């Protein structure tokens, strides 16, 4: 039951964040931190609400969310084609 409930909570979060994850590693992503800021603030807002969960369940939701964020980030990194113009980039 906990797995299903946590999955439902996080499904709403990641549906909201999906367009922003699609912007990760886009052409202007390196020059604009807005995408990462939006993702971070959205997660912070949702998890402020989730702080009412029992500590064990809150930790579980956090773990699932972190794994999902990493998975989405890596997926975008591996599927985007980008080139760097200078050695600094």
């Amino acid at each position: 039951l906990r797995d299903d409930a946590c999955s439902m909570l996080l499904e709403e979060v990641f549906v909201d964040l999906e367009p922003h994850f699609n912007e990760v590693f886009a052409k202007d992503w390196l020059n604009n931190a807005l995408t990462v800021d939006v993702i971070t603030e959205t997660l912070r807002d949702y998890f402020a609400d989730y702080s009412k969960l029992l500590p064990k369940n809150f930790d579980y939701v956090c773990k699932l969310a972190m794994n999902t964020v990493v998975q989405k980030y890596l997926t975008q990194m591996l599927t985007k084609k980008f080139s760097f113009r200078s050695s600094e980039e």
Side-chain angles (χ1 to χ4, degrees):
L1 181 60
R2 179 177 78 166
D3 292 343
D4 291 340
C6 291
S7 293
M8 284 186 247
L9 286 175
L10 292 177
E11 182 178 346
E12 180 183 356
V13 175
F14 289 106
V15 165
D16 287 349
L17 289 175
E18 191 65 32
H20 302 292
F21 277 111
N22 289 334
E23 294 174 12
V24 174
F25 288 105
K27 199 170 207 177
D28 296 326
W29 179 72
L30 289 173
N31 298 327
N32 187 356
L34 182 62
T35 301
V36 175
D37 292 342
V38 169
I39 292 170
T40 304
E41 286 303 315
T42 302
L43 287 169
R44 185 175 289 134
D45 288 344
Y46 275 101
F47 276 86
D49 296 338
Y50 298 164
S51 66
K52 309 283 191 282
L53 296 170
L54 293 173
K56 185 168 104 174
N57 294 333
F58 181 77
D59 291 342
Y60 183 73
V61 170
C62 287
K63 179 182 170 189
L64 289 176
M66 285 187 283
N67 287 340
T68 304
V69 167
V70 169
Q71 180 184 27
K72 290 189 175 289
Y73 184 83
L74 288 173
T75 300
Q76 289 301 315
M77 184 174 66
L78 295 172
T79 58
K80 298 286 180 170
K81 294 180 181 177
F82 54 93
S83 61
F84 297 109
R85 287 174 248 139
S86 68
S87 62
E88 289 180 11
E89 292 179 352

